[in-house]
Amino acid sequence: MTSPYHHGDLKSTLLAYALEQMEGAGLDGLSMREMAKAVGVSHTAAYRHFADKQALLDAMAEQGFEALRQASREAIAAAQGSPDRLLASGLAYVQFGRQHPRQLAHMFGAAARATAPPRLRAVAADLFNDLQTLVAEGQQHGSFRTGDPRALAHACWAMVHGLALLQGGHLLGQPPGVGAEIGSPTAAPLSPDHAASQQTRAALEVLMQGLLEPRQLPPDS
């Protein structure tokens, strides 16, 4: 449960509570007044930070994009070489979607609204721009095939976002051979999260094969 409100931290407390509710029962029937009551403040105090419920929803989406972008950057920083950096970014994206499925769907729905605030649209665009930069850098280093980096980034994004939504919604069955470590028939089954990570890696490696510059492909490809 969200911790009680402490002076000076109401905005983040409301956001945390709303995110908690979104991934649980949902926010459709929850008003600003009810959220304020739940965190122990008056509704007038809550309105000092958010003009209305839509402003809170937009702030939740913006926070989500920032968190996803940070997770991706941390994964990229720990990887070496363009292919591994792109793979690491994709794995971080899908993991975020698996852990926060409703938030991920909300983020893109909110950013796509015609009345979405400029700041929300900008932070959503930054996420894609980071991906396009990764692809362009890989092309410059001779790792990825030539072509419009924006088009290649769109293909990567479609695959990764689709995996994130499917896994977040538990719509992908566990593939054969993922239930235990490869080569260890007597090993205990993998945890659902570990199994999903392996499934994600296998799918993204197929994508990477198509993205690699032909001379970078393994001999048997």
Side-chain angles (χ1 to χ4, degrees):
M1 265 309 272
T2 306
S3 59
Y5 164 59
H6 296 287
H7 180 69
D9 197 30
L10 178 54
K11 183 176 182 178
S12 61
T13 298
L14 283 167
L15 282 170
Y17 178 78
L19 286 169
E20 182 181 281
Q21 294 303 304
M22 174 176 283
E23 295 295 350
L27 289 176
D28 288 347
L30 199 61
S31 68
M32 285 289 287
R33 183 182 293 271
E34 290 167 326
M35 283 187 273
K37 182 179 179 180
V39 301
V41 298
S42 69
H43 66 280
T44 54
Y47 281 118
R48 292 192 188 103
H49 294 281
F50 302 104
D52 52 27
K53 185 177 177 180
Q54 187 58 59
L56 173 63
L57 292 172
D58 288 338
M60 291 166 63
E62 183 179 328
Q63 184 182 73
F65 278 114
E66 290 171 347
L68 176 52
R69 194 178 182 206
Q70 181 61 31
S72 176
R73 286 182 161 186
E74 290 175 359
I76 291 168
Q80 297 291 326
S82 293
D84 285 346
R85 284 159 58 84
L86 185 60
L87 178 61
S89 176
L91 289 169
Y93 192 120
V94 176
Q95 182 179 30
F96 181 93
R98 192 164 64 244
Q99 294 174 343
H100 311 284
R102 291 187 178 181
Q103 184 181 10
L104 184 69
H106 167 68
M107 287 157 49
F108 284 90
R113 282 178 24 252
T115 56
R119 171 60 191 164
L120 175 55
R121 288 180 176 273
V123 73
D126 286 342
L127 184 67
F128 176 75
N129 291 338
D130 287 347
L131 172 59
Q132 184 173 322
T133 297
L134 277 178
V135 171
E137 288 176 350
Q139 290 177 313
Q140 293 168 7
H141 297 151
S143 298
F144 298 151
R145 63 176 60 237
T146 58
D148 179 1
R150 184 175 180 82
L152 294 177
H154 275 143
C156 295
W157 187 21
M159 165 71 94
V160 170
H161 191 73
L163 279 170
L165 292 178
L166 289 169
Q167 285 199 356
H170 306 288
L171 298 175
L172 287 180
Q174 185 167 294
V178 173
E181 294 287 358
I182 296 174
S184 303
T186 60
L190 299 177
S191 68
D193 191 63
H194 192 174
S197 294
Q198 281 199 356
Q199 184 183 60
T200 301
R201 180 177 289 274
L204 293 183
E205 285 177 349
V206 173
L207 173 67
M208 296 300 298
Q209 290 290 308
L211 189 61
L212 289 175
E213 160 59 36
R215 69 173 181 272
Q216 299 287 342
L217 291 170
D220 59 348
S221 298

